[in-house]
Coordinates of all heavy atoms in Angstrom, one line a residue:
D1 N 89.4 100.5 211.2 CA 89.6 101.3 210.0 C 88.5 101.0 209.0 O 88.6 100.0 208.3 CB 91.0 101.1 209.4 CG 91.3 102.0 208.2 OD1 90.4 102.4 207.5 OD2 92.5 102.2 208.0
E2 N 87.5 101.8 209.0 CA 86.4 101.5 208.1 C 86.7 101.6 206.6 O 86.2 100.8 205.8 CB 85.2 102.5 208.4 CG 84.6 102.3 209.8 CD 83.3 103.1 210.0 OE1 82.4 103.0 209.1 OE2 83.3 103.8 211.0
Q3 N 87.6 102.5 206.2 CA 88.0 102.6 204.8 C 88.6 101.3 204.3 O 88.4 100.9 203.2 CB 89.0 103.7 204.6 CG 88.5 105.1 204.9 CD 87.5 105.6 203.9 OE1 86.5 105.0 203.7 NE2 87.8 106.6 203.2
R4 N 89.5 100.7 205.1 CA 90.2 99.4 204.8 C 89.4 98.2 205.2 O 89.8 97.1 204.9 CB 91.6 99.4 205.3 CG 92.5 100.5 204.7 CD 93.9 100.5 205.3 NE 94.5 99.2 205.1 CZ 95.3 98.6 205.9 NH1 95.6 99.2 207.0 NH2 95.8 97.4 205.7
A5 N 88.3 98.4 206.0 CA 87.6 97.3 206.6 C 88.5 96.4 207.4 O 88.6 95.1 207.2 CB 86.8 96.5 205.5
S6 N 89.3 97.0 208.2 CA 90.3 96.3 209.0 C 90.2 96.6 210.5 O 89.7 97.7 210.8 CB 91.7 96.5 208.4 OG 92.1 97.8 208.7
M7 N 90.8 95.7 211.3 CA 90.9 96.0 212.7 C 92.2 95.3 213.2 O 92.8 94.5 212.5 CB 89.7 95.3 213.5 CG 88.4 96.0 213.2 SD 87.1 95.3 214.2 CE 87.3 96.3 215.7
N8 N 92.6 95.8 214.4 CA 93.7 95.1 215.1 C 93.1 94.1 216.0 O 92.0 94.2 216.5 CB 94.4 96.2 215.9 CG 95.6 95.6 216.7 OD1 96.6 95.3 216.1 ND2 95.4 95.5 218.0
V9 N 93.9 93.1 216.3 CA 93.5 92.1 217.3 C 94.6 91.9 218.3 O 95.8 92.0 218.0 CB 93.1 90.7 216.6 CG1 94.3 90.1 215.9 CG2 92.6 89.7 217.7
R10 N 94.2 91.7 219.6 CA 95.2 91.4 220.6 C 94.6 90.4 221.6 O 93.3 90.4 221.7 CB 95.8 92.6 221.3 CG 94.8 93.4 222.1 CD 95.4 94.6 222.8 NE 94.5 95.4 223.5 CZ 93.9 95.1 224.7 NH1 94.2 94.0 225.3 NH2 93.1 95.9 225.2
I11 N 95.4 89.6 222.3 CA 94.9 88.6 223.2 C 95.9 88.6 224.4 O 97.1 88.8 224.2 CB 94.8 87.2 222.5 CG1 94.1 86.2 223.5 CG2 96.1 86.8 222.0 CD1 93.7 84.9 222.8
A12 N 95.3 88.3 225.6 CA 96.1 88.1 226.8 C 95.5 86.9 227.5 O 94.3 86.9 227.7 CB 96.2 89.3 227.6
I13 N 96.4 86.0 227.9 CA 95.9 84.8 228.6 C 96.6 84.7 229.9 O 97.9 84.7 230.0 CB 96.2 83.5 227.8 CG1 95.5 83.6 226.4 CG2 95.7 82.2 228.5 CD1 94.0 83.5 226.4
A14 N 95.9 84.5 231.0 CA 96.4 84.3 232.3 C 97.1 82.9 232.4 O 96.8 82.0 231.6 CB 95.4 84.5 233.4
H15 N 97.9 82.8 233.5 CA 98.6 81.5 233.7 C 97.7 80.3 233.6 O 98.1 79.3 233.0 CB 99.3 81.6 235.0 CG 100.1 80.4 235.4 ND1 101.3 80.0 234.8 CD2 99.8 79.3 236.2 CE1 101.7 78.9 235.2 NE2 100.8 78.4 236.1
S16 N 96.5 80.4 234.2 CA 95.6 79.2 234.3 C 95.2 78.8 232.9 O 94.7 77.6 232.8 CB 94.4 79.5 235.2 OG 93.7 80.6 234.7
G17 N 95.3 79.6 231.9 CA 94.8 79.2 230.6 C 95.9 79.0 229.5 O 95.6 78.6 228.4
R18 N 97.2 79.1 229.9 CA 98.3 79.0 229.0 C 98.6 77.5 228.7 O 98.5 76.7 229.6 CB 99.5 79.7 229.5 CG 99.4 81.1 229.3 CD 100.8 81.8 229.6 NE 100.5 83.1 230.2 CZ 100.7 83.5 231.4 NH1 101.3 82.7 232.3 NH2 100.3 84.7 231.8
G19 N 99.1 77.3 227.5 CA 99.6 76.0 227.1 C 98.6 74.9 226.9 O 98.9 73.7 226.8
S20 N 97.3 75.3 226.9 CA 96.2 74.3 226.7 C 95.4 74.4 225.4 O 94.5 73.7 225.2 CB 95.3 74.4 227.9 OG 94.7 75.7 227.9
G21 N 95.8 75.4 224.6 CA 95.1 75.6 223.4 C 93.8 76.5 223.5 O 93.2 76.8 222.5
L22 N 93.6 77.0 224.7 CA 92.4 77.8 224.9 C 92.5 79.1 224.2 O 91.6 79.7 223.7 CB 92.1 78.0 226.4 CG 91.7 76.7 227.2 CD1 91.6 77.0 228.7 CD2 90.5 76.0 226.6
G23 N 93.7 79.7 224.2 CA 93.9 81.0 223.6 C 93.8 80.9 222.1 O 93.1 81.7 221.4
Q24 N 94.3 79.8 221.5 CA 94.1 79.5 220.1 C 92.6 79.4 219.7 O 92.1 79.9 218.8 CB 94.9 78.3 219.6 CG 94.7 78.0 218.1 CD 95.5 76.9 217.6 OE1 96.6 76.6 218.1 NE2 95.0 76.2 216.6
E25 N 91.9 78.6 220.5 CA 90.4 78.4 220.3 C 89.7 79.8 220.4 O 88.8 80.1 219.6 CB 89.8 77.4 221.3 CG 88.4 77.2 221.0 CD 87.7 76.2 221.9 OE1 88.4 75.3 222.5 OE2 86.4 76.3 222.0
A26 N 90.1 80.6 221.4 CA 89.5 81.9 221.5 C 89.7 82.8 220.3 O 88.8 83.4 219.7 CB 90.0 82.6 222.7
L27 N 90.9 82.8 219.8 CA 91.2 83.5 218.5 C 90.4 83.0 217.4 O 89.8 83.8 216.6 CB 92.7 83.4 218.2 CG 93.6 84.4 218.9 CD1 95.1 84.0 218.8 CD2 93.4 85.8 218.4
E28 N 90.4 81.7 217.2 CA 89.7 81.1 216.1 C 88.2 81.5 216.1 O 87.6 81.9 215.1 CB 89.8 79.6 216.1 CG 91.2 79.1 215.7 CD 91.4 77.6 216.0 OE1 90.6 77.0 216.8 OE2 92.3 77.0 215.4
L29 N 87.6 81.3 217.3 CA 86.2 81.7 217.5 C 85.9 83.1 217.3 O 85.0 83.5 216.6 CB 85.7 81.2 218.9 CG 84.2 81.3 219.2 CD1 83.4 80.5 218.2 CD2 84.0 80.8 220.6
G30 N 86.7 84.0 217.8 CA 86.6 85.4 217.7 C 86.7 85.9 216.3 O 85.9 86.7 215.7
I31 N 87.7 85.4 215.6 CA 88.0 85.7 214.2 C 86.8 85.3 213.3 O 86.3 86.0 212.5 CB 89.3 85.2 213.7 CG1 90.5 85.9 214.4 CG2 89.5 85.3 212.2 CD1 91.8 85.3 214.2
A32 N 86.4 84.0 213.5 CA 85.3 83.5 212.7 C 84.0 84.3 212.9 O 83.3 84.6 212.0 CB 85.0 82.0 213.1
T33 N 83.7 84.7 214.2 CA 82.6 85.5 214.5 C 82.7 86.9 213.8 O 81.7 87.3 213.1 CB 82.4 85.7 216.0 OG1 82.3 84.4 216.6 CG2 81.2 86.6 216.3
L34 N 83.8 87.5 213.9 CA 84.0 88.8 213.3 C 83.9 88.7 211.7 O 83.2 89.5 211.1 CB 85.4 89.4 213.7 CG 85.6 90.8 213.2 CD1 84.7 91.8 214.0 CD2 87.1 91.2 213.6
F35 N 84.6 87.8 211.1 CA 84.6 87.7 209.7 C 83.2 87.2 209.1 O 82.8 87.6 208.0 CB 85.6 86.7 209.2 CG 87.0 87.3 209.1 CD1 88.1 86.5 208.8 CD2 87.3 88.6 209.4 CE1 89.4 87.0 208.7 CE2 88.6 89.2 209.3 CZ 89.6 88.3 209.0
T36 N 82.4 86.5 209.9 CA 81.1 86.0 209.5 C 80.0 87.1 209.6 O 79.1 87.1 208.8 CB 80.7 84.7 210.2 OG1 81.7 83.7 210.0 CG2 79.4 84.2 209.8
H37 N 80.1 87.9 210.7 CA 79.0 88.7 211.0 C 79.3 90.2 210.9 O 78.6 91.1 211.4 CB 78.5 88.5 212.4 CG 78.0 87.1 212.6 ND1 76.9 86.6 212.1 CD2 78.6 86.0 213.2 CE1 76.7 85.3 212.4 NE2 77.7 84.9 213.1
S38 N 80.4 90.6 210.2 CA 80.7 92.0 209.9 C 81.4 92.1 208.6 O 81.9 91.1 208.0 CB 81.7 92.5 211.0 OG 83.0 92.1 210.8
P39 N 81.6 93.3 208.1 CA 82.3 93.5 206.8 C 83.8 93.6 206.9 O 84.5 93.8 205.9 CB 81.7 94.8 206.3 CG 81.3 95.6 207.5 CD 80.9 94.5 208.5
I40 N 84.3 93.3 208.1 CA 85.8 93.3 208.3 C 86.4 92.3 207.3 O 86.0 91.2 207.2 CB 86.2 93.0 209.7 CG1 85.6 94.1 210.7 CG2 87.7 92.9 209.9 CD1 86.2 95.5 210.4
Q41 N 87.5 92.8 206.6 CA 88.2 92.0 205.7 C 89.6 91.6 206.1 O 90.2 90.7 205.5 CB 88.3 92.7 204.3 CG 87.0 93.0 203.7 CD 86.3 91.7 203.3 OE1 86.8 90.9 202.6 NE2 85.0 91.6 203.6
E42 N 90.1 92.3 207.1 CA 91.5 92.1 207.4 C 91.8 92.4 208.9 O 91.2 93.3 209.5 CB 92.4 93.0 206.6 CG 93.9 92.9 206.8 CD 94.7 93.8 205.9 OE1 94.8 95.0 206.2 OE2 95.2 93.3 204.8
L43 N 92.6 91.6 209.5 CA 93.1 91.8 210.9 C 94.6 92.0 210.9 O 95.3 91.3 210.1 CB 92.7 90.6 211.8 CG 91.2 90.4 212.0 CD1 91.0 89.1 212.7 CD2 90.6 91.6 212.8
S44 N 95.0 92.9 211.8 CA 96.5 93.1 211.9 C 96.8 92.9 213.4 O 96.0 93.0 214.3 CB 96.9 94.4 211.5 OG 96.3 95.4 212.2
L45 N 98.1 92.6 213.7 CA 98.6 92.5 215.0 C 100.1 92.7 215.1 O 100.7 92.7 214.0 CB 98.2 91.1 215.7 CG 98.8 89.9 215.0 CD1 100.2 89.6 215.5 CD2 97.9 88.7 215.4

């Protein structure tokens, strides 16, 4: 949504990646990349 400078986020982790913090790290890294290198101001889910 360019007017609101917002996007939706979603994640899916297969069995081999669950319970190890890898999904959380992926979210942290993706959000940091998006907020640092784009004008996006808000994420929803």
Side-chain angles (χ1 to χ4, degrees):
D1 182 334
E2 291 191 53
Q3 297 287 62
R4 295 181 55 217
S6 69
M7 294 186 85
N8 179 74
V9 60
R10 66 177 176 78
I11 187 169
I13 302 291
H15 178 74
S16 60
R18 282 191 213 111
S20 60
L22 296 176
Q24 180 175 327
E25 183 180 335
L27 277 165
E28 290 170 338
L29 187 59
I31 291 167
T33 299
L34 187 66
F35 280 174
T36 301
H37 300 288
S38 79
I40 296 299
Q41 298 294 313
E42 182 179 79
L43 292 172
S44 62
L45 61 83

